[in-house]
Each structure stands twice: as structure tokens, then as C-alpha cells.
Amino acid sequence: MKTFGTYLVELLRAYDVDTVFGIPGVHTIELYRGLPGSGIRHITPRHEQGAGFMADGYARASGKPGVCFIITGPGLTNAATAMGQAYADSVPMLVISGVNALGHMDSGEGYLHELPDQRQLMKQITAFSHTIRKMEELEPVLARAFAVFASARPRPVHIEIPIDLMAQDADRLPPAKRAAAPTRPGPIASAISQIADLAKGASKPLIIVGGGAADAAAPVLALAEALDAPVVMTVNGRGILPEGHPLAVPCTPSLKGCAELVAESDVVIAAGTEMGPTDFDPFGTGRPGFNGRLVRIDIDPEQAMRGNRADVALISDAAAALTALSAAVTPIGERNGSARAERARSEVRRNLDPMMSAGLQVMEAIREALPDSVIVGDSTQPAYAGCLAYNAPQPRSWFCASTGYGTLGYALPAAIGAALSVKDRPVVCVIGDGGIQFTLSELGSAIDAETPLIVLLWNNSGYGEIKTHMRNLGVEPQGVVIFTPNFQALAQAYGWNSVVLDHPQSLIQTLKSAAEMRQRILIEINEAQFLQLRG
């Protein structure tokens, strides 16, 4: 007999799923029956939140949806924070959970793991949440989920399966088959013509790209060079123009220099960015002024109407629209684009405080040592600096949790997920001593998963960023100085290599050696010592 749980695994494999994250429980055992021999690898975190973060990192690094098997009730609530982060950052994630048996769910009688209504909880952080009540529903619901991932603004999808249904005979169901995804929204010729005319008539054009344009690097480059237009990249858009390109502006748009670049531009083309406050007003000082004509290219019509109102709004896949636009714009000649970009970059760098300059030095040392690496950041000083002004060498090679939802503890499990999806590239986790204690046990998961990984631990003995904010607001710091364990001993207890960085200049060689030896290593940096030694 083929069980319904086994049929689910066959369907996932038909959709090219090769990795699932989860912790088996009594309510999900039947989901595991079909895994052996399926070609799908199972990774066990130490906490369901870690499963969600691993799926998130896997998805961001690969572009494929991350998939989780999660138990009913507490497993799902544990995973909710990770789903919230993925929802905020438009990350494709499929969460398949159990739910109490038909006739028992939502009863209020106190069955194991019972919640009053799991779907109502999940609806807040998903594109949709669906309860399977008969086996024939699964195939079309999975088709809907993968249509969201492939053809709409990607966000988590939750599917819950009653525990009694998982074990039922599924032999009557048709062979598992992948449904063809609908095409993504494409550009309208008249809109492309209108945008092209605006761009060609501009004397100071500007392009802004976000994570929705991560797969549009080639047309962005072609359009930027045709228009001689600087390209401002939001945090999730970094690397769309490579490090070193004269038109690249890898800076938070509201920073002095970058904001001036935006304000002086007479036509701004913003593609694949929600233009949200964590990129456009992270310090609450006000968005940059858009004094010229604004074009927004977004796959989400609602988002295109939020924030800065566009003169022209095109609802389209960013890559398709930018490809059509670059074809419609012939090279127009020098417009001082490189000089404008350089002024913005220099002004941003000049105004970074010593802490952010030190953090940026760390990020750039990683890039110099390991140019093909994927860097996964947490809410910690070097990651904050990276958000402000780090230029990744390619798309999907730098992402973090300090924007959008802004959770702590993200980077370690997300880096494990990333390492599983890009097996031939080094992965570096940048995390603070406070954040790592949220998910420290996932050091063991990396051992299980056999993933080489570099953890760069920025140690300031507590929640340094919050302490600074308290002092700046005249609040005596409370609750921000926490016990700092011996991270070297903890790393060794988990079977990791470990080292305390003795000087900033040794970072590059330490990173190179760790990557060459494919180690799992924790490199600890003492913030005060690092700042002192770098002068």
C-alpha cells in the first residue's frame, strides 16, 4: 500500500525538491515513510525555528523554495518566526505540517498539540494556508504553492494534513506529476515604450534594484551602460552589478551621498524593490527625495502602490521587463554616470562612523579572501555595516536578517541551509555573541549535515547595538549585558575547530585556510580589541 504521506514525497520530488528540513514527531512520522530512496535528503535542526531559517537560507542562496516538515502545534509556532522573516523578505518556503485528526481539530478538548485554529495563525505569515481534508486536494494545492513561488511575489505557503489522513491508502491517486507553472506577468509594449522615452530623455537617470531583480543582472547591466546610469542596490539587490563596476552604488538609499544621488536624478527606474523603510529610511530620518519622474517595476500590484507613488507603474517580472527595456534603449552616450556613482559611494563611506567602518572592513575581508563565497548575516555590527555599504560580487551571495522582520539567531541555521544548496562555494556566517546564543545548538546540525561552514563571531559581550541606542536616548542600559560563555570551548564541544582572531590583518589568511581545508570553524573577533588594533 502506498500511503498518503508517501504520495506527498513523490509529488515533492516531481517538483525537484531535494532537501527537507524538520524534526520528526509523532504527528509527522507518516510524512517520513516515503523519504528513503526518494532522492530527498532530510536535515534535522535542533529547533523548528532552525528548520525554517535553514529553508530560508537554502531558498535565498539557490532561488529554489525551501521545504519543511513541521509537527502540529508547538512545532508550527516554533517555526512561525522564521516564516515571518521569509514573508517580510519575499522568500519562497513550503511548510507542511500536521494537524489534529478530522473531527478532532479545533475541538478545544485538549488533544495533543492542539491549537484553536492553526490556519488562522499561519494566514498572517503566508501567501496562503490550506487544510487538506481529502487526498485529492493535495495535487492542486501543491500546484498553487509552486505557482506562487514561480510566478508571483514569493512568500511562504503552509499546508496542513490531518494526522489520520497521512497514513491512508493513496493507491487510487494518479501518478505524481509536476504541474506547469503559469507564466510570470510580462511587460506591456506600450509601457516599455513610455519608460524608454522617459529614460532616453533624462539627463541624470538612475536605476534602483532590489531582491526581485536578483535574476536580472544581465539586463540591468545592459540598461545601466546604455543609459550611463548609476545603479543603487538595496540590501537584497547587492551584487546585481558586481563589485568594482563604476556604475555600482551598493548603499542604503537614505544615506547622505546616496540620498543626494536620488534627489538629483530626473528619472528613477526602481525594479524588484518594495521601497520599504528598512532600505529607504532605516534611521527614521526621512526617505530620500524623489524629485524626478519615478518608474516602478514590481510583480506585486499592491506593493507598487505603497510607499513612493510612481509616475509609471509596470506590473511585471523584473527580468522580463528589464530585458525588454534594455532592448528598447540604444546607447545614448556619456551622462556622467560613473562620476555621479563615485560621488555617492565616497560620500557614504566618508560618513560611516568608526564602528560601521570596522564592520565593513570585516565584510570586505571576506570578499577579498573568498570572492565566490555566500555571506549570511545576523543582526550584528558587521552585518549592519554590510547593509549600509557592502557590495557583493554577485547576486544571492549576501543576505541577512537585520532588515524587514529583523530576527536574531537567523544566520547560523540559514548559513547551513545555504551551504546545502551551493555545495561548491564557501559559506560564511556573520553573527554576534548575543544572536548566536539564540541558535547555538545548530552547530550540531552542521555536523549532521556534513556541511563545511565558517562562523565569524563578533563578540561585544551582549547586545551592543541596543546598549548604544539606550545611551543615545538617555536610558540607562538594562538587560543588554549578558553572560558571555567560552565560545571556543563550546565550539570544540560540538566538534568544531575554533580560533580567536589576534589581529585584523590575520583575518584574510584565516578565512582562506579554513575554506581550503573545508573546515567547520568558529572565528571569534573581540570587538574592542579589533577596533583598537585597526587604529
Side-chain angles (χ1 to χ4, degrees), residues 472-526:
N472 289 343
L473 293 171
V475 176
E476 182 179 347
Q478 296 289 312
V480 291
V481 178
I482 59 176
F483 174 76
T484 303
N486 184 334
F487 289 108
Q488 299 298 300
L490 284 169
Q492 291 163 21
Y494 275 103
W496 282 55
N497 296 295
S498 64
V499 63
V500 176
L501 194 72
D502 57 358
H503 196 282
Q505 293 178 355
S506 65
L507 177 57
I508 290 175
Q509 187 53 53
T510 304
L511 290 166
K512 286 182 177 179
S513 298
E516 288 170 2
M517 298 175 66
R518 295 183 60 80
Q519 291 181 318
R520 281 179 289 274
I521 185 170
L522 185 146
I523 303 170
E524 185 175 349
I525 300 175
N526 179 279

Side-chain angles (χ1 to χ4, degrees), residues 3 14 27 92 112 118 122 130 166 177 186 209 248 274-275 306 312 320 322 355 372 412 433 441 443 453 466 500:
T3 66
H27 281 189
L112 180 66
Q118 287 192 160
M122 291 293 101
H130 186 97
M166 293 179 190
K177 183 179 179 181
V209 290
E274 67 178 3
M275 301 186 75
R306 294 187 177 114
V312 182
L322 291 164
M355 180 68 76
D372 195 37
L412 177 55
D433 63 288
S441 58
L443 291 173
L453 188 64
I466 306 305
V500 176

